[in-house]
């Protein structure tokens, strides 16, 4: 979800305003994805590296996370959406952790849809974490055990969309992205529309995915 800061600057507003409007787009875009047949989506809110931004910004975004969960909790329940925050959440305050844990607990048995928020998440962290979990269980380090202990388990993204104009993964799901289709939009995140998602899904529908094989 890149581009909140630039979007806000372009209308003479604060970065915080950009993040606020950006966070308000998450659930709407998730709903669009589900209407187009996608049942799992992860929104990259904060990378491990983003957490080194100033306290004012990181604190504000963590509050947005709490506000968003409270705002959409009933929708998650009503629409049977399993909610999860992936990443190293140990840095969050007890209050926010409680809100996250409550939403995760209340939605944990839903299987219809999954909405993940990646917060203080890094693909490198996910892999290291997974290896350590396997080692702690005396399991061999192989594709199967590593995959099992990743935050996303066996959910690998079919497509990854990055807004904001940069063509890089910025430490997002490095293991899981091995065969993902990548889309880079010049649009700033708060400007993303349902039509943008529809266009990407249409294009994705025409791709013959080979996973390294011969079609
Ligand atoms: C990148 O844009 C965006 C972020 C680092 C934060 C993304 C956060 C949100 C969309 C709000 C939080 C959402 C939830 C659900 C908690 P940038 O700030 O780097 O933008 P710039 O490149 O234009 O400066």
């Amino acid at each position: 979800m890149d581009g909140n800061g630039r979007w806000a600057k372009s209308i003479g507003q604060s970065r915080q305003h950009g993040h606020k409007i950006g966070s308000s787009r998450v659930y709407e875009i998730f709903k669009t994805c589900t209407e187009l047949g996608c049942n799992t989506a992860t929104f990259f809110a904060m990378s491990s590296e983003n957490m080194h931004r100033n306290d004012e910004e990181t604190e504000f975004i963590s509050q947005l996370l709490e506000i968003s969960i409270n705002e959409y909790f009933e929708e998650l329940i009503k629409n049977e959406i399993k909610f999860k925050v992936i990443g190293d959440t140990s840095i969050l305050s007890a209050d926010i952790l409680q809100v996250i844990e409550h939403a995760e607990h209340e939605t944990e048995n839903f299987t219809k849809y999954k909405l993940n928020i990646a917060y203080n998440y890094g693909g490198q962290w996910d892999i290291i974490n997974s290896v350590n979990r396997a080692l702690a269980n005396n399991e061999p380090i192989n594709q199967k055990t590593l995959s099992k202990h990743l935050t996303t388990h066996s959910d690998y993204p079919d497509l990854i969309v990055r807004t904001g104009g940069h063509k890089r993964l910025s430490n997002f799901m490095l293991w899981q992205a091995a065969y993902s289709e990548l889309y880079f939009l010049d649009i700033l995140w708060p400007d993303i529309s349902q039509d943008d998602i529809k266009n990407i899904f249409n294009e994705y529908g025409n791709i013959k995915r080979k996973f390294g094989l011969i079609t």
Side-chain angles (χ1 to χ4, degrees), residues 4-29:
N4 295 339
R6 278 165 287 162
W7 181 85
K9 197 174 172 197
S10 75
I11 56 163
Q13 292 282 349
S14 65
R15 293 183 59 80
Q16 293 193 346
H17 180 70
H19 293 314
K20 194 168 163 217
I21 301 301
S23 71
S24 75
R25 307 304 316 280
V26 172
Y27 190 70
E28 176 198 341
I29 295 301

Side-chain angles (χ1 to χ4, degrees), residues 173-185:
M173 292 199 188
L174 299 181
W175 176 282
Q176 298 91 323
Y179 277 97
S180 304
E181 302 293 332
L182 307 180
Y183 290 84
F184 299 100
L185 303 180

Side-chain angles (χ1 to χ4, degrees), residues 1-6 15 19 22-23 45 50 53 61 65 117:
M1 297 188 279
D2 198 8
N4 295 339
R6 278 165 287 162
R15 293 183 59 80
H19 293 314
S23 71
N50 289 152
R53 292 182 178 190
I61 295 175
L65 178 61
I117 300 288

Side-chain angles (χ1 to χ4, degrees), residues 1-9 15-16 18-27 43-47 50-51 53 57 60-69 72 83 115-119 162-164 166 168 188-190:
M1 297 188 279
D2 198 8
N4 295 339
R6 278 165 287 162
W7 181 85
K9 197 174 172 197
R15 293 183 59 80
Q16 293 193 346
H19 293 314
K20 194 168 163 217
I21 301 301
S23 71
S24 75
R25 307 304 316 280
V26 172
Y27 190 70
F43 293 83
F44 200 8
M46 286 295 264
S47 69
N50 289 152
M51 297 305 292
R53 292 182 178 190
E57 175 139 338
F60 185 77
I61 295 175
S62 72
Q63 281 166 11
L64 281 178
L65 178 61
E66 183 179 4
I67 291 167
S68 303
I69 297 172
Y72 291 103
F83 175 79
L115 192 172
N116 300 320
I117 300 288
Y119 193 92
R162 179 184 183 134
T163 57
H166 299 305
R168 51 182 178 245
L188 304 174
W189 171 256

Side-chain angles (χ1 to χ4, degrees), residues 1 25-38 40-43 159-163 183 185 187-189 191-205:
M1 297 188 279
R25 307 304 316 280
V26 172
Y27 190 70
E28 176 198 341
I29 295 301
F30 177 75
K31 287 293 284 176
T32 305
C33 293
T34 62
E35 282 156 20
L36 295 168
C38 158
T40 301
T42 300
F43 293 83
L159 61 98
I160 295 179
V161 181
R162 179 184 183 134
T163 57
Y183 290 84
L185 303 180
I187 298 156
L188 304 174
W189 171 256
D191 280 333
I192 194 165
S193 70
Q194 299 192 356
D195 280 345
D196 295 324
I197 300 295
K198 282 181 191 157
N199 291 340
I200 290 169
F201 274 55
N202 279 341
E203 216 179 291
Y204 173 79

